[in-house]
Each structure stands twice: as structure tokens, then as C-alpha cells.
Amino acid sequence: MTTARRRGILALVTAIILLALGAGVAFAVGDALGIRTEPSAQMEPAAPVVPVVAEPVLPPSFTFDAPDTERVSVALEELTDAVAAASGTSGEAVLTVRIDPTLIATDDAYAIEGDTAALLIRAGDEDGVTRGIYDLSNQVRAAAPLTDLIGEHEASRLPLRMTDLGAVGVIPDPAEWESGDDYSHASKAFAAVMQPEPPYVDQTALAAAFEDFDGFLRHSLANGFNAVAFPGFVEYVTFDGAPDGPVYADGDDHRDKALALREAYAPFWDRADELGMKVFLRTDMLALTGPLEQHLTHEFGSLDTENPDLWSVYTAGLDELYDAVPALDGVLIRIGEAGPVYDVGGWDYYSALEVTSVDAVRTMLEAFTAQAEASDREVIFRTWSVGVGAVGDMHTNPASYEAVLGGIDSPALIVSTKYTLGDFYTWLPLNDTLEQGAQRRIVEFQSRREFENFGAFPNDLGPQYQWALQQLIAQNDQLEGVWVWTQDGGPWRAGPMSLYLKSGFWQLYELNTQLAASLAQNPEADVAGITAAWAREYFSEDPATVEAIVEAMTHSREAIAQGMYVPQFAAQRVFAIGLEPPPMMWIFEWDILTGDSAVLDVLYSIVRDSGSDGVGAAIGDGAEAVAAVEQMHGLVSQTDAATWRSSEMRAAFLDTLDYELDTLRLLEAYRAMILHQGQWHDTLSSDAHAQWDADRIAYEQRAAEHLAKYEGNLDYPAFNLTAAQLGVERAVRDEPMAWIARVLLVLALAWVVIGMLAARTRLVAKPGAAAARATWIASTRPWRARESTLGMLELDRWLLLIVPAGLLIATRAVQTSLLSWTHLAVIIGAWVVFALVLRLFVWERSPWPVIAAVGGVVMLRCIVTLFALSFTGPGGYWFAFWTDPLLRTVYIGVAFALFVWVFVAAGWALSAQVRARRATGYVLAAVGAGLLVPAVVVGAIGLETALTLWNDEMGLLPWGLARILGITTYLEIPSVTPWAAAAFGGALLVVGLLLAVPWRRRRVPAGASRPEARGDAGTSAS
């Protein structure tokens, strides 16, 4: 077999191996992306109805005969306030309240006897009589007959009804809301109370906060709640009794702060206990301070959450706290979210994601439940784990729930879970993990829906709440309560400045709070009647006005479900990158209208596949949402202004509908634009492109109007359109970039064709033809690179470098729509380092053979990319990447094979000058340096910073990802990745250098046969 044939076979085998490796990489990428969908089982609530609203009934003036206890007195004050808020009174009545010791107390059961002139409430304990008084109060506020309550009232179906802390201790400072981009989840509650220096507590602010808290408790009791979650835990503990303590050294101010804060808040907890409200301290685990972390690390070697002894430190802290403040009822633990987003500046209290394994969770719960049983307290454990570690999907996966919690049957343990299979989004199924488990269970609801513009839009969740509770109660007899978030969830200062009971249109989402509490007491309650009672309490006693408001609210879910979501996408469970993205991805986290290709392209593909005219149907849904809000606006605006409790409340209702209408019109235009953009990339249809262009103009006009009207508005803030505008800018460039790619592709192909034909035609004598011929030969038969460059003119030699380098830069520039100089700097920088290192190695030898080989393969690699870009530009390139597995696999396989072939060809070309070993060393060293230098630069800048900058320019992942969660955090990319890459590059550089240096040959004794030359034998030129 000739040498040429042997080399050809070897090249063919190498190409096959590289293509196989490329296919393997492509399959690995596809597997890592893991993009798939499955149908999502939807909730099936009853259709909302509008009740016939009766004429208002005026309450009587009351006199009371009741026990002289604080709980009863506060309840009677609420009834008195309700009567005072009515438009008038009718007659007089005596209300008698009796705690009957002959009755067996059954939770909060009670009975009412009598008539309009004399009513008697009797029950076995204060729980029952106070519930009866609050029910009378709510009847007064609903302007309904008090006699409707006469009769026996069974105990509440769910005995534990917990609320968050609302906006207690939070100061409505407009300056903190003005920027609109503070995505911190810290409420900053009591920020004015807690001082960094002794005495650590501002007594004036503390008094104001206590009054705030007392008002919140009274309001929550009237709504039907009997427990409250209060933030903090380690803030109030000295850990003096910790095993192997003390945790805090003498003079450490953490101890003094703990005592000061405990003394400050103990009256809050005592007041809640006095009014019959349980108090649970709400904390993340691990909750830490600097000295506490040092103590745990010193004692246990690390933050080893699987070590029972570590948890003994925390349980000792609970013992200390319960002994000091008996009013506390337990602790509420979350393990799935932590970190700086929840921290408050200036205070050394923080949390860490360390409880991430099944053993860690079980060890923690065994410790806490044992302590709770011994101290007659309770532990509420949240299953919210949002993808962290092995317990990441216990919130949504029944098997994982059982793996984590199976067999932990402590009577002191309560497990809390969101009612949706994920976060608080519309279109998610009912969370079926709530149907299982031997543990006591409570259900989490959110009144101020964070993902649906923080409750700034009307959003009547009554039918859905009722259906969910009825389903869960029927399936799980361990269900015993609810936890309703009146204010909390998501960032506090990135949306409207609506603070529960304090500022903004909080009355709008108060409806969901009242619905959740009422349904927890009676899951069969009349939700339409509750909505009507809410309308009467806050807006009007007039039947026609109330009916109009209730009818408007019946359309509220349609407006949000159709307008803020793309139903064809939202109705599917989507999986990607090992996660389950939520159903509202085009609005990424709260108020950012996203413009990234990953979300929008996948969204389009799902919409496209949803039916024969999925795109048209999805666009139509946006129009239907707008029509629903227009109908709501018409209903409310046609009410008689004189019938409203205040002109301000009527104006607020109409203003919020104007805001919703403007926002949904904006989203309607954006939806049409992004779907027609995807359709163009998908079908290459000029009609789709024309529709996209028309939609773009409409969107940009509506965006300008939206920003002009609402930017800077604290009550109705404009959406964040930065990411969307970046997406529009990229999309506008797609068609020009496609044309540039086509021109470059033709030129590149012409260069290759000339190289292929030059030797056989008269072209060989033309300027540049020899260079084209050399790149073709050197890239496909690199062992001939040296001979292909012999005798070349100086112009042809420089064209060997200039043409591939120019094409590489132009291709990468087009691929980034001329918008990502970061991408260009990294890619071109790496190539420059690679080329310079090779040039230094070659030095006195001719560099043109390796330049021809590398340049030729780069030409081929660029042709592949330009071909992909030539259809609809970079947008089409990424559309295929995200949505077409076959095209993605083929492209990655070929592109990867050619990329590696660059280095194989370089080494092969060099081997004719320095033989195989040293040639391999040269290439490895150059590759190592090309990887090392950019990796060090990225590491020095910071991986998160570098990825954020790159993604902002490329628009591949949601723009808001870096601002809210962090790209590295969300994708679980270790921060040391660039340094690991640098270390690998450095290792390649060292290995390459070792292979590149000349090795000294052993002397051969006289008369001995000389072994066959290997390595550098025959390379005297070196």
C-alpha cells in the first residue's frame, strides 16, 4: 500500500471518528437540554356566577353582655367598628355571649339563638364565642340579616388557619420603590426597629410596629385566622445552652442583640397568644450568623447537616427560646431558598442552602420533632425545595415526597405545601403530593399573586380555591389547615407599592384572603356570596353596583389566564435543563417581558404543535383577554358613582382596570410579534415575516405608550421592557444578517471551488488561486500542506492568513448580529493566542503550511455556520438549535468534527517539519494557551458577570435570570468553572511543552545496530 493511500485511509478513519465524537457531543447536548413536554392536568373549578344581591340590611345598635376577657373584648370591638362603618343603624339589640362549661368544647363550634332584638352566642370556650362574634361582624359588613346566622355552627373544617405577617413593620417609603428593579425578597420588616448599635432597638419605632402588629392581628382574626408566621429565629437566640458552647464568645454583640430583640418582640408574641393566635417563627435552614457558622464548622468539620449533633445546637436554641417566651407555638422551616436575596444589609444573619439530601432532611426533622414533642410545640416543614439537591422535587413528585418524609410520623410535625404543582401560577395542576403522607398537612395559598402583577389586577380565585380544597379534603383526611400569604412572595419592591392594610389598592387582593379563610372554615361556602360581601364591605352597599362589581370579577380569571399566559404553552408541562420551567416564561419572573431565543422559540414550537392553527388561536386568546377587561371596565364604569362608599375607591378600581387593559394590549401585540417571528424562522414564509414586521411596529408603539403612561408610577408601574427591546433589536437584524451570511457563503464557497479546480484550469495563474488551492489541499490532506505552499507568491501567502481570519471574524460577527463584542473578543482572542503560540514554536521554519491547514479547516467550519445563518439569520440559527433535535444533532456533529479537525490538521501539517511528537506538542501547547488565557480573564472578571454580559448581548437565556436568580445559580454552574478550565488549559500547555522540546538521544555503542528512528529522527532542521 502506498504512503498516500495509507494516509488517505487514516484521514478517512479520523474523519469518521471525529464525526462519531461530534454525534456523541450532539446527543449529550440534547440530553442536557432535555427539552420535552407533556400534557398538564388542569384544575376544574366551577364557573363563576353572579348572585342576586339583596337590598342592604342595616345593623342594630348593640349593647353587650359578655365575659370580660381580652379576646372577647377585642372581638366585640370589631363588631362595634363594623356597625360604625355601616351607612346607618336600625333599632337596638342586646348581644349576650356565654361560655357554657356544660358544653364539650369542639374547636370553634358555636350556636346563635334569639331574634333581631336579642341574640345569644354560646359555645364551650373562647374559640367558639369569638368566632361567633366575628361572624356577626362580617355579616354586618356584608349588610346582610344577622338572623341568617341563627342556629348551630359546626367547628371549622380546617382548624389551623395561618397567615403571614402581612406588611407589619414595613415602611411604605416611595424612594425604595422608585427604581422598580429591586428584586430582593427581604421584606425589611422592622428595619426601623432593629439598630446595629446598642441598645439595638429603637423604642419609638418598636411602639409603632407593635400598634401595626396589633391592627394586623385584629384584622386577621376578623377574617377567620388563628395563627401567624413571624420572621426570624437565630436573631432571638443566645445559644448559651448549646452543646460544647457557648457559641458566642465573651463580648460578642450577637448575644446582646439576641437578648434585646427577644425582649423587644416578646410582647408581640404574648399579644398574639392573648388574642388566641398561634405564633410560629419562620426561618430558613440553615439559619446562620458568622460566629454560629464558625462554631458548627469547628465542632463538626463542616456544615454537615446529616450529623444529628449539628441539629442539637439548633434544638438547644429552641429550648432556650420556648423557656424564655412560652407564648411561642413552634417553628416553620424552609430549606429550598436561601442566600443574599433574603439578607438584610448591615446585619449578620443569613441563610445557606445546606439541607439538600434526603438524610439531611430526615435528620433535621427527627431532631426538631423530638424537641417539639418534648416541649409541647409544633414544627411546620415546607416542602418547597425548588430543585435543590436530592430533595429537589419533593414538592411536586409523590415518590420523592415519600422518600424524604415516609416514616416520619411525629404528631408534632405539620407539612406545608403549595396547592399548585409548582409555584403560584395559573394553569398548573393541583399538587397531588397533598393527597398523600401520614403527616398532618396544610395548604399554602397566595392572595397577592406575585406572578400576576402582585395583585394589581382583579383576580378572583374563589372557584379555584374551593375546588382545590374540596379535592384535597376528599383525598387526604390528614389535611387540617391553610397558610395564606396576604402580602409575601417574590420581591417586595419590584412591583406596585401595595402593602397590605397600608398603601396601594390592597383591597383588591383582600378578596382572596377572605375567600381562603372562609373556605378553610367551610369548603362548601358560597364563593359568589363571599365576593359580594367583599364588594359591599369595601366598595358599595348598592345591590346594582355590587352585582356589577361581582360580574366584573367573574371575568377576572379569563383576563389573566388568557392575557398574561399563552394558554397553548401554559397548558403543557415543559421540561428543560433538568428543570420544569413555569407556565409563564415569556414574562420572566414578575414584570420582565423576556426577549431571549430559548424561551420564545420553544414557546412558539409548542404553540405551533397545539393544533391546526395554534398560532392563530394563541393570538386570538390575547384579543379575548383584552375584550374581557374591556367588559369589566364597562361594568364598573357604568355604576352610579353616588352609590360607592368613596369616589377614591371607584377611581382606584377604574384606574386598575385601565392599567390592566393597557398592559394586556401591550402583551397582545408582543404575543403576535414573537409568534409570527417564530413562524418566519420555522416556515421561511415572507408573509409571516411581513406580519412580524407589522406586529413589531404595533408593539413598539404600544410599548412607548405604556412606558409614557406608567413609568415611575408607584401604584401602577410599567413592565420592564428592556429584555423585550433587546430581542426586537436582534430580530430586526435577522434579515440583513441572513443576506450578509449568504454573500459570505457564496464568497467562501467560491474560494473553496477555486482551490479545488485551480490545479486543473488556467485559474492557477491568477492572483489568490494558489492560496485557495493550498488551503483546500492543506485542510483535506494536511500531510501535503508543506508542498502546497512551496513557491507561492508573497500575496498568496498573506491571503492564506487574511482570507480565513477575515471570514472567521465576519462569520462570528454575523452570528452575533454585530451585537456581541464579548463573544467576538473571547473567540477571536482564543484563536489569536493559539496562532501566536504556534508561530513561536515554528519560529525559523516556514509557518505557511500550518497556516494553510488551519485556515482551510476554519474556512470549512465557517461555511457550515454561514449555511445555517443564511436562511433567516441568527434568529433562525438559534430557532433550529432550540426546537429541531435532528438539525441540532447534525449541525453540532459536523461543527464539532471540523473544530477538532483544525487541530488534527495543524499537527499533521507540522509533522512534515518536526515529526509527530513535537508537532503534537506544539498543537497541545497552543490549544492549552488558547484555553488558559480567556479562562483566566473570565475567572478574574467573575463567571456570573461574564455570563451576564455575554447573555445580554446574545439573548439566549432570559435577561432577568442574571438579575434575579443568577445564571450560574439557576443552571448550577460552579463558580470555579473558569478556573477549572484554566487549569485544564494549563495542563495541556505543560504537556505540550514537554512533547515539544527536543529529547536527547541515547548514544549507541560502536558496532551495535541502530534502532529505527522515532520521534524527531531526521529532523536536523530543528
Side-chain angles (χ1 to χ4, degrees):
M1 182 182 295
T2 64
T3 301
R5 181 182 293 273
R6 187 165 57 250
R7 287 171 171 167
I9 293 173
L10 180 58
L12 178 61
V13 171
T14 302
I16 293 171
I17 292 172
L18 292 181
L19 286 171
L21 288 173
V25 170
F27 283 120
V29 170
D31 183 64
L33 291 176
I35 300 173
R36 63 182 179 87
T37 63
E38 63 182 48
S40 177
Q42 297 299 304
M43 297 189 197
E44 300 175 359
V49 298
V50 181
V52 175
V53 179
E55 291 295 325
V57 175
L58 295 177
S61 295
F62 280 106
T63 56
F64 304 120
D65 177 9
D68 185 18
T69 68
E70 186 65 13
R71 286 187 66 182
V72 172
S73 296
V74 168
L76 291 175
E77 287 173 13
E78 166 61 22
L79 179 55
T80 301
D81 290 344
V83 172
S87 58
T89 59
S90 176
E92 297 180 352
V94 176
L95 175 62
T96 303
V97 179
R98 291 287 180 264
I99 297 175
D100 188 346
T102 65
L103 297 176
I104 298 176
T106 309
D107 293 326
D108 57 0
Y110 70 95
I112 293 184
E113 302 170 3
D115 53 29
T116 55
L119 293 171
L120 168 66
I121 299 177
R122 59 185 179 84
D125 59 13
E126 281 191 313
D127 289 343
V129 294
T130 53
R131 179 188 169 202
I133 297 170
Y134 287 124
D135 283 355
L136 281 176
S137 170
N138 291 329
Q139 198 79 345
V140 170
R141 295 190 184 278
L146 300 185
T147 52
D148 286 354
L149 292 178
I150 292 176
E152 299 284 337
H153 294 264
E154 295 180 355
S156 296
R157 177 62 181 80
L158 300 179
L160 179 60
R161 299 175 300 281
M162 184 168 66
T163 180
D164 63 358
L165 199 61
V168 172
V170 179
I171 298 174
D173 180 3
E176 294 193 339
W177 272 263
E178 282 177 356
S179 68
D181 60 358
D182 180 358
Y183 292 103
S184 169
H185 287 37
S187 70
K188 299 183 183 178
F190 308 117
V193 174
M194 300 165 64
Q195 301 297 310
E197 302 297 332
Y200 305 116
V201 173
D202 184 306
Q203 294 299 325
T204 302
L206 181 67
F210 183 84
E211 184 178 352
D212 201 3
F213 181 67
D214 187 64
F216 175 78
L217 289 181
R218 289 168 178 264
H219 187 86
S220 298
L221 285 163
N223 275 340
F225 293 99
N226 59 9
V228 62
F230 197 99
F233 163 50
V234 296
E235 295 90 331
Y236 318 127
V237 181
T238 66
F239 292 104
D240 286 349
D244 300 313
V247 169
Y248 300 128
D250 291 342
D252 191 326
D253 64 358
H254 285 85
R255 187 178 184 281
D256 295 335
K257 288 177 181 177
L259 292 172
L261 293 176
R262 184 196 301 171
E263 182 181 1
Y265 295 126
F268 289 65
W269 307 330
D270 289 337
R271 179 58 173 170
D273 182 64
E274 183 179 37
L275 296 181
M277 291 279 276
K278 288 186 172 184
V279 179
F280 292 91
L281 293 181
R282 179 180 175 183
T283 183
D284 289 323
M285 278 296 161
L286 286 174
L288 296 165
T289 65
L292 176 58
E293 181 173 1
Q294 293 171 13
H295 174 82
L296 296 175
T297 304
H298 178 266
E299 291 297 321
F300 309 114
S302 67
L303 297 177
D304 181 6
T305 55
E306 296 182 7
N307 186 340
D309 292 336
L310 178 142
W311 295 111
S312 66
V313 176
Y314 288 95
T315 56
L318 286 173
D319 286 334
E320 170 195 336
L321 202 50
Y322 295 155
D323 286 343
V325 191
L328 293 172
D329 294 277
V331 63
L332 186 157
I333 299 169
R334 177 179 67 175
I335 63 168
E337 289 189 69
V341 75
Y342 297 97
D343 295 345
V344 177
W347 286 83
D348 182 32
Y349 303 112
Y350 56 98
S351 54
L353 286 172
E354 296 290 343
V355 189
T356 57
S357 69
V358 171
D359 288 343
V361 174
R362 296 180 68 87
T363 303
M364 177 187 73
L365 290 180
E366 286 166 2
F368 279 126
T369 55
Q371 189 279 337
E373 290 178 33
S375 60
D376 194 24
R377 298 303 200 281
E378 292 172 313
V379 176
I380 301 177
F381 173 65
R382 297 190 62 202
T383 61
W384 186 246
S385 48
V386 293
V388 177
V391 298
D393 63 348
M394 69 174 171
H395 183 73
T396 57
N397 186 327
S400 295
Y401 179 95
E402 184 61 26
V404 174
L405 291 163
I408 302 179
D409 302 326
S410 169
L413 176 63
I414 303 171
V415 179
S416 178
T417 302
K418 294 180 181 180
Y419 81 104
T420 43
L421 201 68
D423 218 331
F424 292 116
Y425 291 97
T426 299
W427 295 98
L428 287 177
L430 184 66
N431 195 334
D432 56 355
T433 66
L434 278 160
E435 299 175 356
Q436 70 183 101
Q439 300 80 20
R440 302 159 63 192
R441 304 297 300 274
I442 60 174
V443 188
E444 299 176 20
F445 295 108
Q446 187 181 49
S447 302
R448 184 180 183 259
R449 298 274 280 205
E450 60 183 286
F451 300 106
E452 292 161 2
N453 208 14
F454 299 98
F457 300 153
N459 197 355
D460 184 351
L461 290 159
Q464 188 176 100
Y465 281 3
Q466 183 172 54
W467 182 86
L469 278 177
Q470 289 176 346
Q471 293 292 312
L472 294 172
I473 289 171
Q475 294 296 322
N476 190 349
D477 58 8
Q478 293 293 97
L479 194 69
E480 65 173 59
V482 297
W483 179 22
V484 180
W485 303 5
T486 64
Q487 177 74 33
D488 210 353
W492 277 69
R493 293 163 179 79
M497 197 178 76
S498 56
L499 293 172
Y500 191 54
L501 308 183
K502 287 187 173 182
S503 68
F505 198 11
W506 59 266
Q507 294 87 350
L508 200 58
Y509 54 88
E510 167 76 344
L511 171 60
N512 292 327
T513 299
Q514 293 183 347
L515 282 162
S518 297
L519 289 167
Q521 291 177 315
N522 176 18
E524 305 301 324
D526 176 10
V527 293
I530 295 170
T531 304
W534 161 80
R536 268 197 158 148
E537 178 179 357
Y538 289 105
F539 305 117
S540 173
E541 289 187 347
D542 178 65
T545 298
V546 171
E547 284 188 13
I549 293 172
V550 175
E551 184 176 354
M553 296 302 290
T554 64
H555 300 289
S556 63
R557 293 299 300 147
E558 176 188 1
I560 285 175
Q562 305 291 103
M564 296 196 73
Y565 299 81
V566 180
Q568 292 75 8
F569 174 83
Q572 300 288 317
R573 291 185 71 178
V574 179
F575 300 87
I577 323 178
L579 302 168
E580 186 174 350
M584 184 197 286
M585 281 297 289
W586 68 318
I587 304 172
F588 184 82
E589 300 299 271
W590 306 298
D591 66 346
I592 300 173
L593 196 56
T594 198
D596 59 285
S597 62
V599 168
L600 299 184
D601 291 343
V602 171
L603 183 148
Y604 163 81
S605 68
I606 293 172
V607 169
R608 174 198 62 195
D609 297 339
S610 65
S612 57
D613 186 23
V615 171
I619 293 173
D621 289 333
E624 289 180 12
V626 169
V629 181
E630 290 173 337
Q631 189 172 2
M632 294 166 68
H633 194 283
L635 287 164
V636 176
S637 64
Q638 290 167 16
T639 58
D640 183 353
T643 64
W644 285 68
R645 291 188 179 275
S646 72
S647 58
E648 291 79 10
M649 294 303 290
R650 186 174 188 271
F653 215 124
L654 290 172
D655 286 346
T656 201
L657 288 170
D658 285 335
Y659 176 47
E660 183 174 20
L661 187 59
D662 184 271
T663 303
L664 293 194
R665 282 174 174 164
L666 171 74
L667 296 178
E668 176 191 20
Y670 191 68
R671 175 195 314 238
M673 181 186 72
I674 60 175
L675 290 176
H676 282 136
Q677 179 184 350
Q679 194 172 47
W680 174 52
H681 291 316
D682 184 27
T683 65
L684 311 182
S685 165
S686 58
D687 290 341
H689 186 268
Q691 287 177 310
W692 163 81
D693 197 41
D695 296 333
R696 176 186 60 81
I697 295 171
Y699 164 73
E700 290 184 326
Q701 179 179 347
R702 287 185 177 173
E705 293 170 353
H706 180 77
L707 293 175
K709 189 171 183 179
Y710 292 110
E711 197 165 31
N713 190 318
L714 298 184
D715 293 322
Y716 308 111
F719 267 45
N720 188 330
L721 305 182
T722 302
Q725 187 56 41
L726 290 172
V728 170
E729 291 174 7
R730 285 187 291 270
V732 167
R733 297 188 179 208
D734 275 340
E735 192 171 41
M737 292 302 106
W739 278 107
I740 295 174
R742 292 164 194 163
V743 172
L744 291 173
L745 179 61
V746 169
L747 293 175
L749 288 172
W751 180 266
V752 172
V753 169
I754 289 170
M756 294 169 66
L757 303 178
R760 299 181 178 85
T761 67
R762 289 178 292 178
L763 283 173
V764 71
K766 301 294 183 181
R773 177 177 178 274
T775 56
W776 169 250
I777 292 174
S779 63
T780 56
R781 287 152 289 175
W783 57 88
R784 294 183 56 190
R786 188 164 179 243
E787 69 176 74
S788 70
T789 59
L790 293 175
M792 291 179 62
L793 299 174
E794 192 69 16
L795 173 63
D796 285 309
R797 286 179 173 174
W798 281 106
L799 287 176
L800 286 177
L801 175 64
I802 293 171
V803 172
L807 185 65
L808 174 64
I809 294 171
T811 300
R812 294 303 182 191
V814 170
Q815 190 177 17
T816 63
S817 299
L818 306 181
L819 290 172
S820 180
W821 303 111
T822 302
H823 186 83
L824 275 178
V826 172
I827 298 298
I828 303 305
W831 277 110
V832 168
V833 172
F834 171 81
L836 288 176
V837 172
L838 271 188
R839 182 66 186 92
L840 288 172
F841 276 124
V842 175
W843 197 241
E844 295 180 354
R845 300 180 187 83
S846 171
W848 302 114
V850 71
I851 290 174
V854 171
V857 183
V858 166
M859 292 284 295
L860 298 177
R861 177 68 178 78
C862 288
I863 285 172
V864 173
T865 300
L866 290 169
F867 178 77
L869 293 169
S870 65
F871 293 94
T872 57
Y877 173 96
W878 287 111
F879 176 86
F881 180 86
W882 298 120
T883 67
D884 194 319
L886 178 60
L887 289 179
R888 180 176 63 233
T889 300
V890 171
Y891 177 84
I892 292 176
V894 173
F896 178 83
L898 284 172
F899 176 71
V900 178
W901 180 249
V902 170
F903 310 116
V904 173
W908 214 329
L910 285 168
S911 65
Q913 295 174 293
V914 296
R915 294 298 180 90
R917 174 179 60 79
R918 296 185 67 193
T920 301
Y922 289 2
V923 173
L924 284 178
V927 170
L931 176 60
L932 172 64
V933 173
V936 168
V937 172
V938 170
I941 295 172
L943 181 60
E944 183 63 37
T945 300
L947 284 177
T948 298
L949 179 60
W950 174 77
N951 188 61
D952 285 354
E953 296 170 347
M954 295 292 290
L956 303 183
L957 300 173
W959 179 87
L961 191 60
R963 275 78 187 169
I964 298 167
L965 301 172
I967 295 174
T968 54
T969 299
Y970 188 75
L971 299 181
E972 298 182 3
I973 303 173
S975 59
V976 298
T977 298
W979 299 112
F984 180 68
L988 288 179
L989 177 60
V990 170
V991 171
L993 289 172
L994 292 174
L995 291 173
V997 296
W999 291 357
R1000 185 174 300 173
R1001 295 187 184 88
R1002 292 179 302 167
R1003 292 184 177 274
V1004 181
S1009 60
R1010 192 177 187 86
E1012 185 180 351
R1014 295 184 183 274
D1016 288 338
T1019 57
S1020 58
S1022 65

